[in-house]
């Protein structure tokens, strides 16, 4: 077993993916498992502090990454991350609508094989997000969703979106 801390680390999880930078945190290695906890870290301008990663062998002795992601930042920056390869190639992670803007806090939990190039590209995950100052153009009969707050919950293949906004001068839910 071994414990260590790290500061100002830059990591490319996958070659094509934008690197996570300025990472600090701690890690624990035991029984062929590596547990990593981030205190700080940034990808584009999305703060990853509070995230955790566990690398472990699965039942077939293939290495797997279990991710508990906490991401805080602009929706446009999160969209950039999701458009990077190989994330953009994962079949069940859709793109964020192009016009959606605001500040988000996202919590997602998912697992994937470290040999992601040879995976089925379907990765089970759960996520919840809160978007403040949300704007989504032309959402309802030509009207925009403005200065709103959205809550999005995704559980494998089900999605629930709720929120409030100003529509034609009044509150819309």
């Amino acid at each position: 077993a071994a414990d260590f801390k790290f500061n100002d680390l830059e990591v490319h999880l996958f070659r094509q993916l934008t690197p996570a930078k300025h990472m600090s945190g701690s890690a624990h290695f035991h029984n062929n498992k590596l547990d990593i906890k981030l205190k700080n870290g940034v990808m584009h301008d999305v703060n990853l502090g509070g995230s955790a990663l566990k690398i472990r062998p699965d039942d077939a002795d293939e290495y797997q990454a279990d991710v508990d992601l906490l991401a805080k930042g602009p929706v446009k920056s999160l969209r950039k991350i999701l458009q990077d390869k190989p994330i953009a190639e994962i079949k069940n992670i859709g793109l964020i609508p192009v016009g959606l803007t605001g500040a988000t806090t996202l919590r997602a939990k998912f697992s994937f094989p470290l040999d992601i190039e040879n995976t089925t590209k379907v990765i089970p995950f759960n996520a919840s997000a809160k978007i403040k100052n949300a704007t989504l153009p032309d959402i309802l009969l030509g009207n925009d969703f403005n200065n709103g707050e959205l809550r999005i919950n995704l559980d494998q293949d089900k999605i629930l979106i709720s929120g409030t906004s100003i529509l034609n001068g009044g509150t819309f839910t």
Side-chain angles (χ1 to χ4, degrees):
D3 292 308
F4 58 93
K5 294 184 179 195
F6 52 90
N7 286 307
D8 203 24
L9 192 63
E10 181 173 318
V11 174
H12 285 264
L13 212 52
F14 302 105
R15 280 184 217 118
Q16 308 96 325
L17 191 61
T18 300
K21 298 180 178 181
H22 311 295
M23 293 180 14
S24 66
S26 61
H28 178 70
F29 182 75
H30 61 101
N31 297 331
N32 290 332
K33 298 175 188 172
L34 178 63
D35 296 324
I36 302 168
K37 294 183 181 181
L38 287 182
K39 183 176 178 184
N40 296 302
V42 177
M43 185 179 266
H44 291 290
D45 56 348
V46 175
N47 183 329
L48 305 174
S51 298
L53 173 69
K54 180 184 284 188
I55 298 173
R56 61 171 176 82
D58 63 12
D59 294 337
D61 240 13
E62 300 290 328
Y63 276 87
Q64 180 92 4
D66 299 329
V67 179
D68 183 355
L69 175 68
L70 179 59
K72 295 179 182 180
V75 171
K76 67 178 185 169
S77 297
L78 190 57
R79 184 182 305 109
K80 284 181 189 177
I81 294 169
L82 293 177
Q83 290 171 342
D84 281 349
K85 289 182 177 185
I87 295 174
E89 296 171 350
I90 298 170
K91 292 178 183 174
N92 60 329
I93 296 181
L95 294 177
I96 297 172
V98 174
L100 179 61
T101 61
T104 189
T105 299
L106 168 77
R107 169 72 73 184
K109 293 186 179 196
F110 54 97
S111 296
F112 60 89
L114 288 187
D115 185 14
I116 198 163
E117 300 297 327
N118 295 315
T119 188
T120 61
K121 305 290 190 222
V122 174
I123 300 207
F125 67 97
N126 298 313
S128 62
K130 186 179 197 178
I131 303 171
K132 293 184 177 186
N133 301 318
T135 299
L136 188 56
D138 199 25
I139 188 76
L140 181 65
L141 304 172
N143 293 296
D144 297 343
F145 184 97
N146 285 313
N147 299 319
E149 186 171 295
L150 282 176
R151 287 183 184 83
I152 302 170
N153 289 304
L154 180 63
D155 182 8
Q156 303 296 331
D157 58 352
K158 298 175 204 145
I159 189 167
L160 174 64
I161 301 173
S162 61
T164 58
S165 173
I166 304 299
L167 184 66
N168 291 331
T171 302
F172 178 75
T173 301

